[in-house]
Amino acid sequence: MTHILHIDTSPRLERSHSRSLAREFLEQRKLHHPETTITHRDLARHPVPYIDHTWVTAKFTPAAEYTPELATAIALSDQLVDEFLAADRYILSTPMYNFGIPAVLKSYIDYIVRPRRTFAATQNGFQGLVTDRKMILVQARGSDFRPGSAYDAVNFQEPYLKTIFGFIGITDIETINANGLNTELRDQELANAKTTLHTLAITW
């Protein structure tokens, strides 16, 4: 049985293209694979606080040495990491903001990229601990960031997400990009994204 963690980030809520595409994928997934279970994490409706000094101290302190203050500071992070590790597949839907990712998503990533939990430092360098998982990135962009386009060189969204999730061990990543949603490309890009997602809902 497949367990999917669905992470939404867009503050546009029901007007969001990334949310709509991810939701359509999951509906098709359940239709073709009814045994699939889904956990939904909505970072726009329930944002994760920014990290602070106490949290950083707790991050690098072994759990056996936690003070009550450190245990409280790291509790939400532990909950989010446990939820993340409980899934074997992920669908992350996000808009592009200022060539990158929304702040709520960056904060979430800071909470789940944890030494001894999702990565390890070894004599041979860093090692991702979240292995044998798959991810789909659903990314919505207002302008045209297709390969070879004028804005392709300033697309910091996809390279960052592939790098950070690859760092913790997730390297099997499908990307579904809806580009130019504020341009004449919109209808065709959305149609292409939906077609690809419908296929993935069956085969992924």
Side-chain angles (χ1 to χ4, degrees), residues 80-146:
L80 293 174
V81 171
D82 288 344
E83 177 181 81
F84 193 81
L85 295 177
D88 47 37
R89 300 193 185 183
Y90 310 92
I91 179 164
L92 168 58
S93 63
T94 181
M96 173 184 279
Y97 281 176
N98 299 318
F99 311 114
I101 61 173
V104 291
L105 178 53
K106 179 57 169 66
S107 188
Y108 173 81
I109 288 170
D110 289 341
Y111 269 66
I112 65 166
V113 178
R114 292 263 307 276
R116 301 177 300 277
R117 296 296 313 275
T118 55
F119 76 92
T122 73
Q123 291 182 339
N124 298 319
F126 294 112
Q127 177 184 351
L129 301 178
V130 191
T131 57
D132 300 320
R133 264 82 160 187
K134 295 183 178 183
M135 176 176 281
I136 294 176
L137 298 177
V138 178
Q139 302 169 115
R141 293 101 176 244
S143 297
D144 184 3
F145 287 85
R146 293 176 299 176

Side-chain angles (χ1 to χ4, degrees), residues 1-121:
M1 183 172 65
T2 301
H3 180 56
I4 298 174
L5 174 59
H6 172 206
I7 303 167
D8 264 328
T9 71
S10 176
R12 297 185 70 195
L13 304 181
E14 299 311 313
R15 296 175 58 244
S16 164
H17 292 298
S18 60
R19 285 176 179 266
S20 177
L21 290 169
R23 185 166 57 246
E24 187 161 342
F25 166 81
L26 290 169
E27 289 171 355
Q28 290 295 313
R29 178 74 190 184
K30 288 288 286 185
L31 179 65
H32 294 285
H33 300 277
E35 76 284 358
T36 300
T37 59
I38 301 165
T39 297
H40 186 209
R41 169 65 57 179
D42 193 329
L43 298 176
R45 287 187 170 94
H46 305 287
V48 176
Y50 296 131
I51 62 174
D52 58 17
H53 172 73
T54 306
W55 188 93
V56 173
T57 301
K59 174 181 178 179
F60 292 104
T61 301
E65 299 175 19
Y66 283 168
T67 64
E69 182 184 28
L70 293 181
T72 298
I74 208 71
L76 176 58
S77 178
D78 283 337
Q79 176 188 336
L80 293 174
V81 171
D82 288 344
E83 177 181 81
F84 193 81
L85 295 177
D88 47 37
R89 300 193 185 183
Y90 310 92
I91 179 164
L92 168 58
S93 63
T94 181
M96 173 184 279
Y97 281 176
N98 299 318
F99 311 114
I101 61 173
V104 291
L105 178 53
K106 179 57 169 66
S107 188
Y108 173 81
I109 288 170
D110 289 341
Y111 269 66
I112 65 166
V113 178
R114 292 263 307 276
R116 301 177 300 277
R117 296 296 313 275
T118 55
F119 76 92

